[in-house]
Amino acid sequence: MLQKILIANRGEIAVRVIRAARELGIKTVAVYSELDRNALHVRLADEAYALGGQTAAESYLNTEAILDAIRQSGADAVHPGYGFFSENADFARAITGMGVTWIGPPPEAIDEMGDKVSSRLAAQRGGAPIVPGTTEFAQGPDEIRDFGNAYGFPVCIKAAFGGGGRGMKVVQSADGVDDAMASAQREAKAFFGRDEVYVEKYLTWPRHVEVQIVGDQQGDVVWVSTRDCSAQRRHQKLIEEAPAPGLPDGVEDAMGEAAVKAAKAVGYYNAGTVEFIYQDGEFFFLEMNTRLQVEHPVTEVITGIDLVEWQIRVASGEPLPMTQEQVAARRYGHGIEIRINAEDPAGGKFLPSPGPITKLVPPDGFGVRFDSGYESGDEISQYYDNLVGKLIVWGRTRDIAIARTIRALDELVVEGVATTIPADLAILRHPDFVAVEHSTKWVEQNLDLSGVGSVSAAAPEADGEELVERTTTVEVNGKRFAVKMWVPPSTAVAAAAAPARQKRAAAGSGAAAGGSGQVTVPMQGTIVKILVEVGQQIELGQGIVVLEAMKMENQINAEKAGVVKEIKVATGDTVGGGDVVAIIE
Ligand code: ADP
Ligand code: ADP
Ligand code: MG
């Protein structure tokens, strides 16, 4: 068995892995950026090492710093979590090259499944149906137009190396192809460092159904459960459930078997997910995620199987603990996961809302689990994913699980940042969702979020004179040590109050923009594109700039019609919430 696992990640998934390792009696090592010096995953690990830097590129994607931490800590295994290096075959090879165990699939399988084009070929070889589309990189917009004209629009331009809904653009007609292709490439280049794209048919009312698989190094692969992740915005999941409800007889088993075939086609072991889209009784392979997924807990709660424990066991060479029949016999009841993101869903906009969490009270009670990377007082940084935590609920039936999830969401308190919770409640209470009549388009096309208010940032309370206990950290040769101190409460409160004030100011100037003709950005970020020129006549709602913040491109639109008088920013500029980027007369 492994002795010491370094978790090359942050947030809730690092916490999740630390907990599993601890239960197995394995020591844990955290790594952290400057902003995460005192983060929950760092507090929970047995040891922690500084990576330096703030952005993901400077810290959690800094190969040398992570390899150093592995050497210094003497860890004999690395768990990559999801995101960051989890699907990076070169990183996996660097780990195994040091004689350290990689808790993940073979690097060759990551390579083959990591690119959406070669994964489509692998799925086809294994005998799983794929979405109609090309199986080569597009050389230019003409190929995409030709495909659309032949198979019909809409089509979907996808970054071959994309993920998390990024680098994917839907095109409604031949006119939009050039812009969409450029935008997909720009996003892909920025996030994944590569900009190859291909095209596939865009289904108009599909469900997203995926299959969790786990394989061992002896060559055995089982599928553990299906999951439905159709409640999405911007092609990103909001709510997931297991099993996928309401499928015709035989479809679930057929998908499970197709997933196992796709996995075996690339010699897969460890945990992975095969994603399909499902429409009218048919299913098509979308991609394989060669890692643990955000929504893995819904599978855990309906089977009682700890998937991270299984990952650790098969990585250390043990065979799978159960056969396919034994796994199938364990499935019971229904699981629902709510991703709590720091985003304001008002009006269906889902605008990023980073900042300090002034108060966080997780729900509790029968069938309720809360996986989070934060506690009260922690900050959601604009540099990382905005996932605050995940609420996972089990119920004997889907209806019971829905009712219990609503109850738990009502109990959950998150203050200081806006969250997706109001949108989640609107989804769970909607008859279309209850009847499983929704699709991946449903949240954006059918769900009315106009009345959904954002949760306002609560003002921090001023405490009395008593000193409060604070834990601070010191670093000695890059290794972190925790030190306890007792300080006046004002010191602690002041730090939390500043960004909250900033946010209110930004919202205020945003509202004023409509009248004054000042176009402001609602949050901190980087200008990636300017869509207008000085002197240009523009309409109400026309796009002015593209702002990238929290791993997302946001188009900032004019709140008034007129002529562009001044553009105050250039491509590549960093702007703060409330900054004026253009003036319209
Ligand atoms: P899931 O597939 O479990 O729904 P997502 O696709 O939302 O998960 O991605 C999970 C995490 O991984 C997110 O933090 C996302 O930003 C990140 N991610 C996904 N694909 C990649 C990739 N190819 N490279 C880097 N990060 C990725
Ligand atoms: P990512 O790597 O970003 O997760 P996926 O290929 O898994 O990319 O697609 C993400 C989501 O986008 C899917 O869950 C689905 O909702 C939607 N989607 C992707 N491809 C198509 C398609 N061809 N037709 C309709 N919806 C699609
Ligand atoms: Mg996907």
Side-chain angles (χ1 to χ4, degrees):
M1 197 39 137
L2 304 169
Q3 302 292 315
K4 198 191 244 193
I5 298 176
L6 180 141
I7 300 97
N9 215 302
R10 66 180 302 280
E12 69 86 18
I13 196 61
V15 170
R16 169 73 187 87
V17 175
I18 289 169
R19 287 177 172 152
R22 177 155 292 178
E23 289 169 20
L24 291 168
I26 301 170
K27 290 265 180 271
T28 54
V29 181
V31 290
Y32 58 96
S33 67
E34 278 170 19
L35 298 173
D36 281 341
R37 190 167 284 130
N38 206 30
L40 184 59
H41 75 282
V42 177
R43 303 199 286 267
L44 287 180
D46 295 305
E47 311 170 28
Y49 291 83
L51 299 172
Q54 300 198 334
T55 65
E58 293 163 353
S59 54
Y60 299 100
L61 290 172
N62 181 342
T63 313
E64 274 318 307
I66 293 180
L67 296 183
D68 267 351
I70 297 169
R71 280 187 283 262
Q72 275 194 62
S73 64
D76 61 353
V78 171
H79 194 300
Y82 53 70
F84 298 132
F85 280 131
S86 62
E87 296 183 273
N88 187 314
D90 292 337
F91 184 76
R93 285 192 189 96
I95 301 299
T96 53
M98 295 166 76
V100 170
T101 300
W102 168 251
I103 305 177
E108 301 71 40
I110 300 181
D111 268 338
E112 204 170 354
M113 288 299 189
D115 139 23
K116 285 187 207 230
V117 169
S118 67
S119 76
R120 282 159 65 78
L121 292 168
Q124 229 170 14
R125 197 172 69 231
I130 62 169
V131 185
T134 55
T135 45
E136 274 167 20
F137 300 141
Q139 300 302 318
D142 289 342
E143 282 170 41
I144 293 169
R145 259 188 295 273
D146 290 348
F147 177 84
N149 290 332
Y151 287 81
F153 285 92
V155 299
C156 184
I157 302 175
K158 279 191 186 176
F161 296 90
R166 283 172 288 271
M168 179 188 310
K169 298 290 153 186
V170 179
V171 197
Q172 299 298 337
S173 69
D175 305 342
V177 167
D178 290 83
D179 281 354
M181 182 168 170
S183 168
Q185 288 183 313
R186 195 165 55 236
E187 233 177 79
K189 184 85 189 167
F191 292 115
F192 311 108
R194 305 201 41 178
D195 65 0
E196 292 89 341
V197 296
Y198 72 101
V199 63
E200 60 186 38
K201 178 129 193 64
Y202 194 65
L203 306 191
T204 48
W205 201 252
R207 279 170 57 192
H208 172 116
V209 181
E210 59 185 34
V211 181
Q212 174 72 55
I213 62 107
V214 189
D216 61 26
Q217 299 189 45
Q218 289 72 16
D220 198 11
V221 179
V222 296
W223 67 276
V224 188
S225 90
T226 54
R227 294 188 285 254
D228 185 299
C229 316
S230 301
Q232 307 183 343
R233 49 85 183 73
R234 289 191 292 261
H235 302 121
Q236 294 171 336
K237 302 159 186 168
L238 285 164
I239 297 183
E240 299 103 341
E241 43 184 327
L247 296 178
D249 281 352
V251 170
E252 204 188 359
D253 284 328
M255 284 177 126
E257 284 153 26
V260 169
K261 281 188 207 158
K264 284 189 171 169
V266 296
Y268 203 89
Y269 55 76
N270 216 286
T273 297
V274 180
E275 297 189 329
F276 297 96
I277 41 177
Y278 168 86
Q279 188 172 297
D280 307 324
E282 282 188 297
F283 61 88
F284 305 97
F285 173 92
L286 260 187
E287 63 163 345
M288 180 166 188
N289 293 322
T290 53
R291 54 173 162 90
L292 189 66
Q293 256 179 312
V294 175
E295 60 272 24
H296 74 276
V298 283
T299 295
E300 296 184 323
V301 297
I302 64 160
T303 57
I305 291 170
D306 180 336
L307 290 168
V308 179
E309 179 201 331
W310 280 29
Q311 284 195 292
I312 293 171
R313 290 191 184 285
V314 300
S316 42
E318 290 183 30
L320 282 170
M322 288 180 204
T323 63
Q324 184 64 69
E325 292 65 38
Q326 288 171 320
V327 170
R330 295 197 60 94
R331 288 181 211 126
Y332 177 59
H334 200 83
I336 296 180
E337 175 181 276
I338 306 294
R339 295 194 193 197
I340 318 278
N341 290 94
E343 260 172 56
D344 186 349
K349 285 194 183 133
F350 293 98
L351 281 180
S353 165
I357 306 172
T358 49
K359 190 172 179 187
L360 176 62
V361 184
D364 209 334
F366 184 51
V368 174
R369 162 175 167 184
F370 193 71
D371 278 22
S372 173
Y374 300 95
E375 291 176 339
S376 296
D378 289 342
E379 172 136 8
I380 306 287
S381 158
Q382 62 124 351
Y383 292 118
Y384 316 120
D385 232 46
N386 62 5
L387 187 67
V388 179
K390 311 183 302 200
L391 168 67
I392 305 106
V393 170
W394 178 85
R396 199 162 36 79
T397 65
R398 185 170 185 264
D399 288 342
I400 294 171
I402 290 176
R404 185 169 288 154
T405 307
I406 293 173
R407 184 275 290 170
L409 279 176
D410 283 339
E411 282 179 25
L412 171 62
V413 179
V414 186
E415 284 174 11
V417 293
T419 70
T420 41
I421 295 171
D424 295 322
L425 284 169
I427 294 168
L428 293 165
R429 290 187 170 126
H430 200 289
D432 290 358
F433 181 82
V434 173
V436 202
E437 281 164 3
H438 62 306
S439 83
T440 57
K441 311 289 171 279
W442 176 82
V443 168
E444 284 171 352
Q445 288 179 14
N446 299 57
L447 187 67
D448 180 8
L449 292 172
S450 58
V452 169
S454 62
V455 184
S456 65
E461 292 160 33
D463 297 60
E465 287 302 293
E466 261 170 70
L467 296 183
V468 294
E469 183 186 314
R470 298 287 291 175
T471 306
T472 188
T473 57
V474 293
E475 270 166 28
V476 180
N477 290 334
K479 181 168 180 184
R480 176 190 180 277
F481 296 90
V483 179
K484 263 186 199 155
M485 303 193 305
W486 281 263
V487 298
S490 54
T491 349
V493 170
R501 259 200 309 276
Q502 212 174 39
K503 214 167 83 210
R504 274 192 293 273
S509 55
S516 70
Q518 295 190 342
V519 180
T520 59
V521 293
M523 67 213 131
Q524 188 181 333
T526 308
I527 303 290
V528 293
K529 193 164 189 210
I530 294 167
L531 304 168
V532 294
E533 286 168 10
V534 172
Q536 189 177 333
Q537 177 74 44
I538 55 150
E539 292 161 20
L540 175 70
Q542 187 167 335
I544 304 296
V545 297
V546 179
L547 174 77
E548 186 219 292
M550 292 190 94
K551 302 175 152 201
M552 228 158 58
E553 283 193 2
N554 303 275
Q555 186 166 308
I556 309 299
N557 300 327
E559 291 185 14
K560 129 178 191 180
V563 176
V564 180
K565 187 182 163 222
E566 196 184 342
I567 297 171
K568 290 177 166 288
V569 289
T571 304
D573 283 0
T574 303
V575 291
D579 282 2
V580 177
V581 293
I583 294 175
I584 297 167
E585 269 189 343

